[in-house]
Amino acid sequence: MRLLVANRGEIALRIFRACRDLGIETVAVFSDADRTAPHVAAADYAVRLGPAPAAESYLSVPALLAAAARTGATLVHPGYGFLAENAAFARACVGAGLTFVGPAPEAIEAMGSKIESRRRMRAAGVPIVPGMAAPAREASEIVAFGRTAGYPLLLKASAGGGGKGMRRVEDESEVAAAFARTTSEAKLYFGDGAVYAEKLIDRPRHIEVQILGDQRGNIISVGERECSVQRRHQKVIEECPSPAVSPELRSRLCDAAVAAARAVSYTSCGTVEFLLAPDGAFHFLEMNTRLQVEHPVTEQVWGVDLVTEMIRVAMGESLSVRAEDLTPRGHAIECRIYAEDPRRGFAPSPGTIVSLRLPAGPGVRNDVGIESGSVVTIDYDPMLGKLIVHGVDRPQALARLARALSEYEIAGVDTTLPLFRRLVADPEFVSGTIDVHWLDRRLQPGFLDPPPLSREEVLLAAVTLSDSPASRETGRPPAPASRWADAARRESLRGPS
Amino acid sequence: MRLLVANRGEIALRIFRACRDLGIETVAVFSDADRTAPHVAAADYAVRLGPAPAAESYLSVPALLAAAARTGATLVHPGYGFLAENAAFARACVGAGLTFVGPAPEAIEAMGSKIESRRRMRAAGVPIVPGMAAPAREASEIVAFGRTAGYPLLLKASAGGGGKGMRRVEDESEVAAAFARTTSEAKLYFGDGAVYAEKLIDRPRHIEVQILGDQRGNIISVGERECSVQRRHQKVIEECPSPAVSPELRSRLCDAAVAAARAVSYTSCGTVEFLLAPDGAFHFLEMNTRLQVEHPVTEQVWGVDLVTEMIRVAMGESLSVRAEDLTPRGHAIECRIYAEDPRRGFAPSPGTIVSLRLPAGPGVRNDVGIESGSVVTIDYDPMLGKLIVHGVDRPQALARLARALSEYEIAGVDTTLPLFRRLVADPEFVSGTIDVHWLDRRLQPGFLDPPPLSREEVLLAAVTLSDSPASRETGRPPAPASRWADAARRESLRGPS
Amino acid sequence: MKALAVYVLRERDGAPQEIHIESGISGLVASYAGIVERFEAAALPDGRVSLLFEDGRQFCGRARPAATFGIEMWHASGRRPVRIADPLRDRIAHAAEEVGSPDEEEEFRALMPGRVIEIKVAEGDRVEAGQLLLVIEAMKMHNEIRCDRPGVVASVEVSTGQLLEGGALLVIVRPGSDGSSPGSSP
Amino acid sequence: MKALAVYVLRERDGAPQEIHIESGISGLVASYAGIVERFEAAALPDGRVSLLFEDGRQFCGRARPAATFGIEMWHASGRRPVRIADPLRDRIAHAAEEVGSPDEEEEFRALMPGRVIEIKVAEGDRVEAGQLLLVIEAMKMHNEIRCDRPGVVASVEVSTGQLLEGGALLVIVRPGSDGSSPGSSP
């Protein structure tokens, strides 16, 4: 048996490892930018898809189907991102006689539309944020909804996701302009201009429940994850369990998540996301019909291999675990390590990894997609990998996170590691009293400034220069500082993109 | 607070990680061979002990006490090996006002003598192998014991351990010569010629129980480990739990181990070793009064950090866990990776690690003492590190072990990795029906011979040569094959040493 | 004792400080900020350096000279750049800064490798503060480079679609809202 | 197509086999054991090589030429040495082996770096099969080097306490139980 992963980077390697554990051969696909990437070197088979741009390679359905045919792959796993929540790709795989390792296309479609998924959730009795039941045809419908529900509102593109296509509206005077802009953005980004309004939940937590279903009607939940540490709606740190969820609340969240999955007859690994309001009420946000980036924290705490389960149920097997046999142990935390410079507004930092030292020892799991010498290009998502730590409780997990971060070294590109080193010592993060906007508030100028140089740092620098007279003589004279300070200042003028 | 580790390699790094998790500063010690070793680079403080030979560095009590004094360390952890079971060192630490992270010197002494420990165990009701209660003054005493207990017998040096100083005796005619040789060896190796006889348990398993005690009288067991895969009495692979231990047997083993520890008022991390006979009877073998090499398999399955517990109880704290709160999860396996060539009779293979790739992903833990570029010298124990895998059950743990071994690469020195790659696919090992002599029987000539070269291997070799004309031209002509074949043949004539 | 090297280090906004490194009887001696430190340095096989001080403190990190600003450093607390220059260079840099007045031409440079997606201005164009000059793609992000004060575009140094190295010169703007005639720059 | 190289490979006890590697239109072409394989090879940043075959199979490993026996190789199944020689060298090696008769002198070499602990024989000593020649320490083990057939010690090339590199010549023994007079070796 052979499984093709229609993806790259750490998630391709993660799925290949599950295949090895199951005795399934692996097929990698690659673009011209990735011929020497780790996921290719780890596979039993590998097929070139096309040039570097994703549209011509990792998003090319014909190239992917041809690669499966050429290598005799019978299973296709989409990973996350790229074609992972694309119902047409799932249908194309099935049409080509392949087993798609994911939910049925109908479930992807139902949950892919915000309006349709809200309609189904309402019918299934899953609590949803008060909102319009259909897209607004004109701004006046939003004004009418706002008078009923109260401000602030959140305008949302029905086809949106991942924090894109949303706009906060403070009062009635902003509605017309906000509606026009959100509609045109929704058309531009998602090809669908449908926009509706919801009541905005202020300072919520993002809590999500892991779901596993099989083709025999079994659907179970595998606990919740806390994903409130976000930067501009992008998850940065995830934990399992949530410090804010009591056993009683967990039970209600999991029941609602199973009801949500049951409403679309879910048959794979998936995640139901909720907003948890400060008053303890929770509301369905969306369901991700795929493997989640942050799935490892659930695996560490609940002792379940989500990827092997996902592959097994795709092949028609029953879930190997029952809900009543699962008990959580300890606490896990994941950091997403990106090739971005958190000290320069998270600007992308492509380049060559000149040295890579991964942490090790008890409670440390590395899921990374790079090696020493890897080139981080500008073509794809800049996530390099994930650091996952596990401890007997949250304090030990935090201590192990600090320890693992002190061992971690990536040289050659800037990464988000300095952000995590700062956050793991932050009293508010450590106390767990956060919400989805907390990090954006916390990231004020100077938050990540390094402390003054220590004596050790000064001497290391001086020893390095003493030891390398050649590099000193060939180095160009330093550019006047003002230029670079100016550039950094200009950088901060950039709008979000 | 500052803790000095009187050790090197992976165990020094393991203990430093526990210190970081506890917020304790770390002090490394090093010989001249280890100035650039990973354990030194990982420490907050580091002190040179002396020249490379262990007697002048890691075994030098005055140098170790001076290092503690110079750096203000108040805690000393001996690791395993070197001074770990040396009561005089423990006393010297206490005498210098330091906290010794280990049991009381009296417990070390009581368990360090085979005769004394057997006497105490008999008194505590712990089952022991039928044997003489005192050392034999002359061979005739052994003959008399043999007539009562029946042959075969095992002669043992009272001060021995680690598989040294033991001799099998098949019948009465062998007693006199065996007694003379064992006595002289015991004098030579352990400085104590006391020898006694036990009934030999044929084809036993080696099962050991993890013990944790504190200074308030709490003593708990943390499950058992299976350590029957041994080469010449040296452990090679360890597992938790044992495939041969039922819950009922586990309960009896653990009760006996706690009784053994209680008999010496044990106040630290320790291990009670048993021989499990094919008929299900078990017998006390010895107690190791220290942290065990294979402690990580227990940590993975039982969710307890044994090293942080060990440090905490040394500082007078109570155990942080209670026996009734502990439940095992899944199955863990450890492989000890040595710089030895299993295809040449496990000959030592010192040299430089020219490349090191560690496995990663779910269920993989690396505890290693080397890095790429490290030099493996002839001065110390050749263990490079340990690979620990964890899965929901033994089949998944074995699958993950095979996967991790396929990712593992150490180039530059020969290692025992090829042995593990062979064993993980061995039907007898997979079935778990083994005993302490199983591997010695299995290691027949040809067992580790690689399969014929694959097409891929042939082409990789040819491509490498095509690609490196320079190295081809500067390479010396190959030595005639017969020389090396002869050398390898001679190698197999070496006696055990 | 023999002097090995003298460097001047500056932290952001900090005053320059001299470091003297000399070889001593058993290791190195550094004088810095009025303190004398004796220590020993060893190169590790993986390229890091381990410093060992007289009181036993150990510090390990990786550092390499960077072409434009001194030293780039990695250790347990993460990466940090350290600006180090020799005294002569430092004086030159200071002088340049003092000359840098509001009337000086402003260079816009790429902060990271990328590709030019769109150029919104041409040589001679009058530009306002906040006006979009050009768009660069790096990874999947479009980065807008905007002017931060009014002026006239003195030159455009790149073309659409061009691949850029980090630090590449993009556009030069001559400040001032009066707008002296284009093309007359020296 | 242009021939790049021809090698002769021998497995232990196997017959020599020729490999031809040529550059083809899109990659490499190898002829070996009657099979023609088309494939492409890429060097990875960490020094490994990835081979990609026409049917999609991928194989990744590290290999480096070894001075004494051809190629040393690491991949997912572990390390293995591969004896590769060019045809000329191979013929020489064969010739040498055929000459190697039971009457030939036998060289005893260190198989690993270590230290000479004890030398039990001297030049001219008559030795029996199994007799201890010398003891070498490597790591913490004492390794006894013993004679495997009777003869006379022609020379001792090391001294007690000497540090050894792997492959160092230790002792030469001239075979035969008759024992021709010592010192008459050429």
Side-chain angles (χ1 to χ4, degrees):
Chain A
M1 199 168 316
R2 225 161 273 159
L3 182 149
L4 182 148
V5 175
N7 217 305
R8 63 186 297 281
E10 70 88 18
I11 195 60
L13 288 162
R14 169 67 189 92
I15 299 163
F16 288 163
R17 286 182 170 127
C19 290
R20 296 229 186 275
D21 293 353
L22 293 168
I24 296 173
E25 288 189 306
T26 56
V27 181
V29 290
F30 62 90
S31 76
D32 287 340
D34 279 344
R35 169 65 184 92
T36 62
H39 78 284
V40 175
D44 299 312
Y45 290 76
V47 180
R48 175 186 177 270
L49 293 174
E56 299 170 64
S57 51
Y58 298 104
L59 291 172
S60 167
V61 176
L64 288 163
L65 297 181
R70 181 166 156 211
T71 55
T74 56
L75 295 149
V76 175
H77 196 305
Y80 53 69
F82 292 130
L83 296 168
E85 288 176 291
N86 185 313
F89 178 58
R91 281 213 175 80
C93 287
V94 175
L98 302 167
T99 301
F100 180 77
V101 182
E106 296 71 29
I108 300 176
E109 266 165 354
M111 288 301 189
S113 155
K114 291 217 182 298
I115 299 261
E116 170 66 9
S117 65
R118 281 170 58 83
R119 191 188 63 73
R120 296 231 197 175
M121 292 308 102
R122 195 182 292 114
V126 177
I128 57 173
V129 179
M132 297 167 62
R137 277 154 303 186
E138 48 191 55
S140 64
E141 292 184 15
I142 294 169
V143 169
F145 171 75
R147 287 183 185 165
T148 318
Y151 286 85
L153 299 181
L154 192 64
L155 296 200
K156 280 186 163 181
S158 179
K164 296 259 164 62
M166 299 197 295
R167 180 163 278 107
R168 183 184 174 118
V169 181
E170 295 295 339
D171 58 46
E172 208 168 292
S173 71
E174 295 180 14
V175 168
F179 178 64
R181 276 190 78 172
T182 310
T183 303
S184 75
E185 280 176 13
K187 276 189 194 136
L188 188 66
Y189 291 126
F190 310 111
D192 174 0
V195 165
Y196 70 102
E198 285 179 5
K199 176 146 181 58
L200 187 135
I201 309 291
D202 225 6
R203 299 209 170 182
R205 284 178 177 261
H206 176 121
I207 309 282
E208 60 187 30
V209 174
Q210 177 65 50
I211 289 292
L212 277 177
D214 63 23
Q215 297 178 39
R216 303 174 188 202
N218 301 305
I219 296 182
I220 66 171
S221 61
V222 194
E224 87 285 4
R225 290 184 289 261
E226 164 76 63
C227 308
S228 300
V229 180
Q230 303 187 354
R231 183 181 158 269
R232 298 185 182 176
H233 304 288
Q234 300 290 328
K235 295 167 187 166
V236 171
I237 294 179
E238 298 98 348
E239 302 185 41
C240 177
S242 165
V245 172
S246 65
E248 182 271 330
L249 176 56
R250 176 169 307 126
S251 162
R252 287 193 292 126
L253 279 165
C254 288
D255 287 350
V258 169
R262 208 170 284 291
V264 293
S265 303
Y266 203 75
T267 56
S268 185
C269 176
T271 296
V272 182
E273 299 186 331
F274 295 98
L275 289 180
L276 177 65
D279 65 2
F282 63 85
H283 310 276
F284 174 83
L285 184 62
E286 66 182 26
M287 179 167 188
N288 292 325
T289 54
R290 54 167 165 88
L291 184 65
Q292 207 88 331
V293 175
E294 59 270 27
H295 74 276
V297 290
T298 298
E299 294 186 322
Q300 298 307 114
V301 168
W302 289 84
V304 175
D305 187 321
L306 294 171
V307 186
T308 57
E309 291 296 325
M310 191 177 182
I311 295 171
R312 278 190 180 125
V313 298
M315 297 191 295
E317 293 180 30
S318 297
L319 289 174
S320 78
V321 287
R322 293 179 309 171
E324 56 267 37
D325 298 334
L326 292 174
T327 44
R329 175 193 278 176
H331 195 95
I333 307 176
E334 173 184 280
C335 294
R336 299 187 183 193
I337 300 166
Y338 280 87
E340 294 177 342
D341 186 353
R343 292 180 181 138
R344 291 196 301 121
F346 294 83
S349 177
T352 300
I353 310 288
V354 298
S355 122
L356 175 66
R357 291 167 50 83
L358 295 178
V364 173
R365 169 173 166 184
N366 293 298
D367 278 23
V368 298
I370 53 164
E371 300 200 333
S372 186
S374 289
V375 176
V376 181
T377 71
I378 59 169
D379 297 300
Y380 311 111
D381 182 83
M383 194 174 78
L384 304 177
K386 302 167 326 201
L387 166 63
I388 304 104
V389 296
H390 187 208
V392 296
D393 51 22
R394 192 166 186 266
Q396 193 189 58
L398 286 167
R400 288 178 159 182
L401 179 58
R403 179 242 293 170
L405 288 168
S406 79
E407 297 180 19
Y408 221 121
E409 178 190 310
I410 300 178
V413 303
D414 280 297
T415 72
T416 47
L417 285 169
L419 172 67
F420 300 123
R421 294 192 180 105
R422 180 72 180 75
L423 288 180
V424 79
D426 184 273
E428 290 181 24
F429 174 67
V430 168
S431 76
T433 52
I434 53 171
D435 62 70
V436 297
H437 307 299
W438 172 79
L439 182 59
D440 290 325
R441 295 193 301 273
R442 201 89 181 96
L443 278 175
Q444 292 187 341
F447 180 65
L448 293 171
D449 282 357
L453 283 173
S454 68
R455 275 190 298 177
E456 288 86 352
E457 289 176 314
V458 168
L459 296 179
L460 175 60
V463 164
T464 303
L465 283 177
S466 312
D467 205 42
S468 59
S471 53
R472 212 182 133 218
E473 271 151 38
T474 59
R476 287 179 285 143
S482 56
R483 292 297 173 214
W484 293 93
D486 280 351
R489 188 155 41 82
R490 277 200 298 279
E491 183 72 7
S492 67
L493 295 172
R494 293 181 313 151
S497 52
Chain B
M1 198 167 314
R2 227 162 272 161
L3 182 148
L4 181 149
V5 175
N7 217 305
R8 63 186 297 281
E10 71 88 18
I11 195 61
L13 288 163
R14 169 68 188 92
I15 299 162
F16 288 164
R17 286 183 171 127
C19 290
R20 295 230 185 275
D21 292 354
L22 292 169
I24 296 173
E25 288 189 306
T26 56
V27 181
V29 290
F30 61 91
S31 76
D32 288 340
D34 280 343
R35 169 65 184 93
T36 62
H39 79 282
V40 176
D44 299 313
Y45 290 76
V47 180
R48 174 185 178 271
L49 293 174
E56 300 171 64
S57 50
Y58 298 104
L59 292 172
S60 166
V61 175
L64 288 162
L65 296 181
R70 180 163 157 215
T71 54
T74 55
L75 295 149
V76 174
H77 195 305
Y80 53 70
F82 293 130
L83 295 168
E85 288 176 291
N86 185 314
F89 178 58
R91 281 213 177 80
C93 287
V94 175
L98 302 167
T99 301
F100 180 75
V101 183
E106 296 72 30
I108 300 177
E109 264 164 357
M111 288 301 190
S113 155
K114 290 217 184 299
I115 299 260
E116 170 67 8
S117 64
R118 282 169 59 83
R119 191 188 64 73
R120 296 230 196 176
M121 293 306 103
R122 196 183 290 114
V126 177
I128 57 174
V129 179
M132 298 169 61
R137 279 155 301 184
E138 47 191 54
S140 65
E141 293 183 16
I142 293 170
V143 169
F145 172 75
R147 289 187 184 162
T148 317
Y151 286 84
L153 299 181
L154 193 64
L155 295 201
K156 280 186 162 181
S158 179
K164 297 258 162 61
M166 299 199 293
R167 179 163 279 105
R168 185 184 173 117
V169 180
E170 294 296 340
D171 58 48
E172 210 169 290
S173 71
E174 295 180 15
V175 168
F179 178 63
R181 278 189 77 171
T182 310
T183 302
S184 75
E185 279 176 12
K187 275 188 195 136
L188 190 67
Y189 290 128
F190 311 112
D192 175 0
V195 165
Y196 70 103
E198 285 178 5
K199 175 145 180 58
L200 187 133
I201 309 291
D202 226 6
R203 300 210 171 183
R205 284 177 177 262
H206 176 120
I207 309 282
E208 59 187 31
V209 174
Q210 177 65 50
I211 289 293
L212 277 177
D214 63 24
Q215 297 179 38
R216 304 177 187 201
N218 300 305
I219 296 183
I220 65 170
S221 61
V222 194
E224 86 286 3
R225 290 184 288 262
E226 163 75 62
C227 309
S228 301
V229 179
Q230 302 186 355
R231 183 181 158 267
R232 299 186 182 176
H233 303 288
Q234 300 291 329
K235 295 166 187 168
V236 171
I237 295 179
E238 299 98 349
E239 302 186 41
C240 177
S242 165
V245 172
S246 66
E248 182 273 330
L249 177 56
R250 175 169 306 124
S251 164
R252 286 194 291 127
L253 279 165
C254 288
D255 286 350
V258 169
R262 208 171 285 290
V264 292
S265 303
Y266 203 76
T267 56
S268 184
C269 178
T271 296
V272 181
E273 299 185 331
F274 296 99
L275 289 181
L276 177 65
D279 65 3
F282 63 86
H283 310 275
F284 173 83
L285 183 63
E286 65 181 26
M287 180 167 187
N288 292 323
T289 53
R290 54 167 165 89
L291 184 64
Q292 206 90 330
V293 175
E294 59 270 26
H295 74 276
V297 291
T298 298
E299 294 186 320
Q300 297 307 114
V301 168
W302 289 85
V304 175
D305 187 321
L306 295 171
V307 185
T308 58
E309 291 297 324
M310 190 177 183
I311 296 170
R312 278 191 180 124
V313 298
M315 297 192 293
E317 292 182 30
S318 298
L319 289 175
S320 78
V321 288
R322 294 179 307 170
E324 55 269 37
D325 298 335
L326 292 174
T327 44
R329 175 194 278 176
H331 195 94
I333 307 177
E334 173 184 281
C335 295
R336 299 187 182 193
I337 300 166
Y338 281 88
E340 294 177 342
D341 186 353
R343 292 182 180 137
R344 291 197 299 124
F346 294 83
S349 177
T352 300
I353 310 288
V354 299
S355 121
L356 175 67
R357 290 167 51 82
L358 295 178
V364 173
R365 169 174 165 182
N366 293 298
D367 278 23
V368 299
I370 53 163
E371 300 199 334
S372 185
S374 289
V375 175
V376 181
T377 71
I378 60 169
D379 298 300
Y380 312 112
D381 181 81
M383 194 175 77
L384 304 176
K386 302 166 329 199
L387 166 64
I388 305 102
V389 296
H390 187 208
V392 295
D393 51 23
R394 193 166 186 266
Q396 193 188 57
L398 286 167
R400 287 178 161 182
L401 179 58
R403 181 241 295 169
L405 288 168
S406 79
E407 296 181 22
Y408 221 123
E409 179 190 309
I410 300 178
V413 303
D414 280 297
T415 72
T416 46
L417 284 170
L419 171 67
F420 301 122
R421 294 193 180 104
R422 179 73 179 77
L423 288 179
V424 77
D426 184 273
E428 289 180 24
F429 174 67
V430 169
S431 76
T433 53
I434 53 171
D435 62 70
V436 297
H437 308 299
W438 171 78
L439 182 59
D440 290 324
R441 295 193 302 271
R442 203 86 180 100
L443 278 176
Q444 293 186 342
F447 180 65
L448 293 172
D449 282 356
L453 285 173
S454 68
R455 275 190 296 177
E456 289 86 352
E457 289 176 315
V458 169
L459 295 179
L460 175 60
V463 163
T464 303
L465 283 177
S466 312
D467 206 41
S468 59
S471 52
R472 214 183 131 218
E473 271 151 39
T474 60
R476 287 180 284 143
S482 56
R483 291 295 173 216
W484 293 93
D486 279 351
R489 187 154 43 81
R490 277 199 297 279
E491 183 71 6
S492 66
L493 295 173
R494 292 181 314 151
S497 51
Chain C
M1 288 210 266
K2 180 181 168 294
L4 284 183
V6 181
Y7 301 99
V8 171
L9 164 148
R10 274 193 318 166
E11 295 201 54
R12 191 190 340 198
D13 308 325
Q17 284 191 313
E18 277 198 1
I19 319 161
H20 295 249
I21 298 246
E22 303 166 50
S23 65
I25 290 158
S26 63
L28 300 166
V29 182
S31 323
Y32 159 67
I35 299 161
V36 176
E37 286 263 20
R38 274 163 238 282
F39 65 106
E40 179 247 308
L44 306 191
D46 68 357
R48 290 180 299 162
V49 173
S50 164
L51 307 182
L52 205 50
F53 295 90
E54 281 205 312
D55 62 354
R57 269 176 313 132
Q58 194 275 145
F59 180 80
C60 182
R62 186 188 306 278
R64 55 171 196 186
T68 50
F69 58 81
I71 285 271
E72 206 165 4
M73 184 184 292
W74 293 263
H75 53 72
S77 308
R79 169 185 174 275
R80 73 184 297 176
V82 180
R83 297 194 47 240
I84 293 204
D86 61 45
L88 183 62
R89 281 186 194 156
D90 195 66
R91 275 192 293 276
I92 293 168
H94 266 292
E97 269 171 62
E98 278 147 27
V99 170
S101 74
D103 294 333
E104 204 196 8
E105 284 182 354
E106 189 162 25
E107 294 175 2
F108 292 83
R109 289 176 181 273
L111 283 184
M112 65 208 100
R115 190 182 281 126
V116 178
I117 294 296
E118 205 175 354
I119 301 177
K120 292 290 204 179
V121 293
E123 194 175 314
D125 283 5
R126 192 164 298 175
V127 289
E128 297 304 316
Q131 183 172 339
L132 183 61
L133 301 177
L134 71 173
V135 182
I136 292 175
E137 183 190 85
M139 279 142 150
K140 289 153 78 185
M141 286 175 68
H142 283 199
N143 301 302
E144 302 180 345
I145 307 293
R146 291 173 183 276
C147 202
D148 55 351
R149 40 185 172 171
V152 172
V153 176
S155 72
V156 176
E157 304 284 340
V158 291
S159 52
T160 304
Q162 184 178 331
L163 286 173
L164 301 170
E165 301 206 347
L169 183 61
L170 305 170
V171 171
I172 300 177
V173 173
R174 189 172 328 109
S177 51
D178 59 320
S180 50
S181 70
S184 68
S185 59
Chain D
M1 288 211 268
K2 182 182 167 294
L4 284 183
V6 181
Y7 300 99
V8 172
L9 163 148
R10 275 192 317 166
E11 294 202 54
R12 190 190 342 197
D13 309 325
Q17 284 190 313
E18 275 197 1
I19 318 161
H20 295 249
I21 297 245
E22 305 167 48
S23 65
I25 291 157
S26 62
L28 300 165
V29 182
S31 323
Y32 158 68
I35 298 161
V36 177
E37 286 261 21
R38 274 161 238 283
F39 66 105
E40 180 247 308
L44 305 192
D46 66 358
R48 290 180 300 163
V49 173
S50 163
L51 307 183
L52 204 51
F53 294 90
E54 281 205 313
D55 61 356
R57 268 176 312 132
Q58 196 274 145
F59 180 81
C60 182
R62 185 187 308 277
R64 55 171 196 187
T68 49
F69 57 82
I71 285 272
E72 206 165 6
M73 184 184 293
W74 293 263
H75 54 71
S77 307
R79 169 186 173 275
R80 73 184 297 176
V82 180
R83 299 194 45 241
I84 294 204
D86 62 45
L88 182 63
R89 282 188 193 153
D90 194 65
R91 274 193 293 274
I92 292 168
H94 265 292
E97 269 172 62
E98 278 146 27
V99 170
S101 73
D103 293 334
E104 203 196 10
E105 285 182 354
E106 189 163 23
E107 295 175 3
F108 291 82
R109 290 176 180 274
L111 282 184
M112 65 207 101
R115 189 182 283 125
V116 178
I117 293 298
E118 205 175 355
I119 300 177
K120 291 289 201 179
V121 293
E123 196 176 312
D125 283 5
R126 192 164 299 176
V127 290
E128 296 305 317
Q131 184 173 338
L132 183 61
L133 300 177
L134 70 174
V135 181
I136 292 175
E137 183 190 86
M139 277 138 150
K140 289 153 78 184
M141 285 175 70
H142 284 200
N143 301 302
E144 303 179 344
I145 308 291
R146 291 173 184 277
C147 201
D148 56 350
R149 40 185 172 172
V152 172
V153 176
S155 72
V156 175
E157 305 283 340
V158 291
S159 52
T160 303
Q162 184 177 330
L163 286 173
L164 301 170
E165 301 207 349
L169 183 61
L170 306 169
V171 171
I172 300 177
V173 173
R174 190 173 328 110
S177 50
D178 58 322
S180 50
S181 69
S184 69
S185 59

